[in-house]
Amino acid sequence: MALGSLLIGLPVQASAFDVAPAKSAEATAKQRVIAYRNATLIDGTGRPAQQHMTIVIAGDTIKAVAPDASAVVPADAETVDAAGLYVLPGLIDTHMHLATLPVRRWAEATMRRSLYAGVTAVRDLAGDTRFLGELQRQVLVGEVKGPDIYYSALMAGPSFFEDRRTQAAARGAKPGEVAWMQAIDDTTDLKIAVARARGTGASAIKIYANLSGEIVKRIVDEAHRQNFRVWAHAMIFPATPAEVIAASPDVISHVCYIAYQLSPKPNSYHDRMTVDLKQFERGDRPEIAALFREMQQKGIVLDATARIYAKQEAAAAEGGAVPGNWRCPGGLAFRLINQAHREGVMISAGTDGDTDWNNPYPALHEELELLADRAKMPNMDVIRAATSVAARTLGQQDRMGTVEAGKLANLLFVRQNPLDDVSNLRSVAFTVQRGATYRREDYRPVTEDEMRAPDF
């Protein structure tokens, strides 16, 4: 039976894992109740840290959050003394690619490292949804250790599907024709196209490249009519940043693409060139500020992907080959992120890449440190970029992103205060995902063989 048929009768916006997950035999026999006491709570809302707090969880859900002195703890609860620890919502990486070319050993290793580093959910942007759906099922039933995966179905102009990445993600079928990678033009029945995308179990459509502003607007309007989210690049080639923002997607990715508003505008994704840096020599530009204000007013999240620009900058400084994908120096990227933050834009923490195999922590920690150190965002706002704002990016703000009763028991306990220094998020004691505990001391480091890059 097709996955689309299985979804009949679910609420329109439900993805395949918004329904209650199957319980393990142990969990079915007895719902585990745990009280974490005496922790310092940074709850993800932006409120100041609260000392001496108790969090009670039952199964996969937070049941109560209260000061120790007034907390009501069930008599049968296990008690964990978290004195000296800081507890936050589980972290969320809002830009990953786990299935551009599905390689199980690599994906599972990447997910294991992320989970034991405090990452409890990720947003995957354009991959093989056949693989991603199965991987998420395995996470839910405990067959694979990793964050929950919220993934997208891609839409782009027909010419984009010459890209070899789309061929890798549609192996066994033709990219542009499959439901998770659809070629869109003026003749496309968007009502059917959006419904096909929803049938993959995706959480949103990702609008990628080679589409006009008019078609981008039509896709967004139809998706929202069907109560389905839209994630988009900030420049769609030829659709400009102004046209993309005017279309009102829920999230846009890659801060440097916004600089194309004041630069020559390629008609195709594969014809990108360096943005016109002279336009930014005299400081902030009012045209860009106006775009950021429009994003703020519409509640559009910016998935800034700071780390990829820092990597490009580092490569240039070392005289090596400069990755050309993003066409924007790191210095400009961080200035734009800072400007967006000052204009009140919600910024989420997405990596669009990963660290080397021998790094004990995934790229999300680097992303957060760059937002603090280079983009000059306050530490509390950086934490929210990977918690409450990140949850909004996924469309899951009602289920995660803050430590509140009724939300999923996704928690991160660290030994040092991240409000003093964001790098203290690396002092992980343990992660709680859907109520299950993953102690950092139990982490089995990934190996070079596991993390060998997928071969196109």
Side-chain angles (χ1 to χ4, degrees), residues 169-202:
R171 277 187 168 181
K174 186 174 181 180
E177 296 181 358
V178 295
W180 64 95
M181 289 195 165
Q182 297 185 65
I184 306 297
D185 61 21
D186 289 328
T187 68
T188 302
D189 186 329
L190 289 178
K191 183 182 295 186
I192 293 175
V194 170
R196 291 183 71 206
R198 288 183 53 237
T200 67

Side-chain angles (χ1 to χ4, degrees), residues 188-306:
T188 302
D189 186 329
L190 289 178
K191 183 182 295 186
I192 293 175
V194 170
R196 291 183 71 206
R198 288 183 53 237
T200 67
S203 296
I205 288 165
K206 180 179 181 181
I207 305 178
Y208 203 101
N210 297 15
L211 291 168
S212 68
E214 179 185 357
I215 294 181
V216 169
K217 181 69 164 63
R218 288 174 52 208
I219 293 171
V220 175
D221 287 349
E222 179 55 34
H224 285 170
R225 189 190 70 80
Q226 294 192 32
N227 198 25
F228 200 49
R229 294 176 67 78
V230 178
W231 305 331
H233 276 174
M235 171 92 183
I236 303 296
F237 307 97
T240 65
E243 290 173 320
V244 172
I245 292 168
S248 301
D250 300 282
V251 184
I252 63 173
S253 293
H254 305 312
V255 68
C256 270
Y257 277 3
I258 294 173
Y260 275 114
Q261 189 62 35
L262 300 177
S263 304
K265 298 171 180 59
N267 285 323
S268 170
Y269 173 87
H270 293 105
D271 293 333
R272 291 164 295 164
M273 74 284 286
T274 303
V275 298
D276 186 355
L277 301 180
K278 292 182 180 179
Q279 297 292 332
F280 299 91
E281 288 177 347
R282 291 178 291 178
D284 292 349
R285 290 296 301 267
E287 300 92 335
I288 302 298
L291 294 179
F292 287 144
R293 284 194 294 272
E294 184 177 355
M295 290 178 63
Q296 189 276 330
Q297 292 163 4
K298 291 182 171 183
I300 299 172
V301 177
L302 174 60
D303 167 38
T305 62

Side-chain angles (χ1 to χ4, degrees), residues 19 53 57 72 94 123 176 222 257 272 298 378 400 413-414:
V19 295
M53 297 294 290
I57 67 173
V72 177
T94 61
R123 186 176 72 131
E222 179 55 34
Y257 277 3
R272 291 164 295 164
K298 291 182 171 183
M400 62 180 68
F413 289 80
V414 295

